[in-house]
């Protein structure tokens, strides 16, 4: 099982092999984490999205691009269910984490930083978004050994940290 830590900060500042983008099906940029990644990483990320994913990505799937100017080596894009638009299939949310970890493994990554997928613009209730992240990461048999959940907001970070500690074997 990978080491799982909660980190307070901006996802785009993380010095890890992979940062995960909470993207849309179109993979052509957007708001939230997606906007921050494209802004900080520069145009190479969008160019790679267009070249490698001409039809975008299905909800629950993941795929990689360059990380452009970011400190990370790759961005793994995944598409969470849009709860606000009525997409309530939790297995798709679990799949985002599993597929992102699989792609990171295939890249040979040893560290990966996730945002809380679907928990922003897509409106997934936060407590369950955190529970789903922990469930999917803890049950993964991925080789990547340093897994971080990064939140920019101190209250969200505290919730993630508390959930990780509560689930830790005593
Ligand atoms: N670093 C860390 N966490 C962040 C950052 C950041 N720079 N920015 C936001 N968060 P969201 P979603 C938190 O909305 O719900 C885009 O338009 C945020 O507070 O980025 O999956 C895409 O194109 C929240 O807890 O992702 C899609 O259309 C979490 O990251 C759509 O939004 C995820 O919020 C995806 O929405």
């Amino acid at each position: 099982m990978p080491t799982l830590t909660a980190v307070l900060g901006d996802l785009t500042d993380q010095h890890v092999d992979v940062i995960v983008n909470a993207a849309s099906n179109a993979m052509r940029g957007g708001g939230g984490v997606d906007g921050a990644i494209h802004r900080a990483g520069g145009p190479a990320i969008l160019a790679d999205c267009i070249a490698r994913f001409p039809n975008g990505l299905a909800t629950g799937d993941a795929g990689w691009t360059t990380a452009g100017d970011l400190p990370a080596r790759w961005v793994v894009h995944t598409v969470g269910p849009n709860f606000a638009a009525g997409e309530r299939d939790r297995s798709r949310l679990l799949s985002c984490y599993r597929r992102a970890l699989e792609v990171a493994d295939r890249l040979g990554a040893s560290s990966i930083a996730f945002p809380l997928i679907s928990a922003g613009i897509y409106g997934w209730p936060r407590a369950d978004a955190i529970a789903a992240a922990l469930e999917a990461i803890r049950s993964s048999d991925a080789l990547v050994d340093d897994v971080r959940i990064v939140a920019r907001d101190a209250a969200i970070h505290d919730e993630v940290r508390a959930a990780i500690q509560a689930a830790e074997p005593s």
Side-chain angles (χ1 to χ4, degrees), residues 9-11 22-24 29-34 36 116-122 150 152:
D10 194 305
L11 185 70
S24 65
V33 157
D34 197 6
L116 268 186
I117 297 160
S118 288
I121 291 164
Y122 280 178
V150 181
R152 235 181 1 180

Side-chain angles (χ1 to χ4, degrees), residues 11-67:
L11 185 70
T12 60
D13 293 335
Q14 297 301 303
H15 288 257
V16 285
D17 291 333
V18 166
I19 64 167
V20 177
N21 184 18
S24 65
N25 294 116
M27 288 183 82
R28 298 297 179 262
V33 157
D34 197 6
I37 286 173
H38 283 277
R39 269 194 306 278
I45 298 179
L46 179 59
D48 217 13
C49 282
I50 292 167
R52 303 196 66 248
F53 302 94
N55 301 312
L57 264 180
T59 304
D61 201 1
W64 65 271
T65 66
T66 177

